[in-house]
Amino acid sequence: MLAGGLVDEVRKLKQTEGGSILMHGVGPVAKTLLRNGLLDELHLWVHPVLAGVGDENDVLFEAGLHARLETSNVQAFDNGVVVLSFRKPS
């Protein structure tokens, strides 16, 4: 449970020692962290299936969302899934 606002609380957590913050999925929280420079790594799982579900909140790429990242890894699986990994530039 966060005591304050998302951005302020995540900034506080990132200043402490002891580990990383892991989040699954893309939505309003991930986009807020990305907008505020609080996302150190991004792993996009690309599936060879288009489900046709969700709404505009489920889309990562939207107007006004900009971040400079560098590719850190690309992994392809036999089932067609590709994991694209990005991180903040050094």
Side-chain angles (χ1 to χ4, degrees), residues 1 4 9 11-13 15 17-19 23 41 46 48 50-51 55 57 63 65-66 68 70 78-79 81 83 86:
M1 184 86 153
E9 292 298 313
R11 276 198 182 109
K12 286 180 199 174
L13 284 170
Q15 291 173 357
E17 284 190 44
M23 186 182 109
E41 291 185 41
V46 181
L50 298 176
D55 60 25
N57 291 319
L65 182 59
H66 305 280
R68 181 166 305 281
E70 61 185 27
D78 291 339
N79 62 1
V81 173
V83 180
F86 304 93

Side-chain angles (χ1 to χ4, degrees), residues 12-90:
K12 286 180 199 174
L13 284 170
K14 287 177 67 69
Q15 291 173 357
T16 63
E17 284 190 44
S20 302
I21 301 167
L22 175 65
M23 186 182 109
H24 292 276
V26 173
V29 171
K31 290 188 269 189
T32 297
L33 296 177
L34 196 54
R35 274 192 192 96
N36 287 278
L38 295 171
L39 215 90
D40 297 321
E41 291 185 41
L42 178 64
H43 303 273
L44 298 176
W45 290 64
V46 181
H47 296 261
V49 175
L50 298 176
V53 298
D55 60 25
E56 63 276 356
N57 291 319
D58 298 319
V59 178
L60 174 61
F61 308 107
E62 65 183 23
L65 182 59
H66 305 280
R68 181 166 305 281
L69 302 169
E70 61 185 27
T71 305
S72 59
N73 193 35
V74 176
Q75 186 173 9
F77 295 93
D78 291 339
N79 62 1
V81 173
V82 178
V83 180
L84 305 170
S85 299
F86 304 93
R87 65 175 172 240
K88 283 184 179 180
S90 316

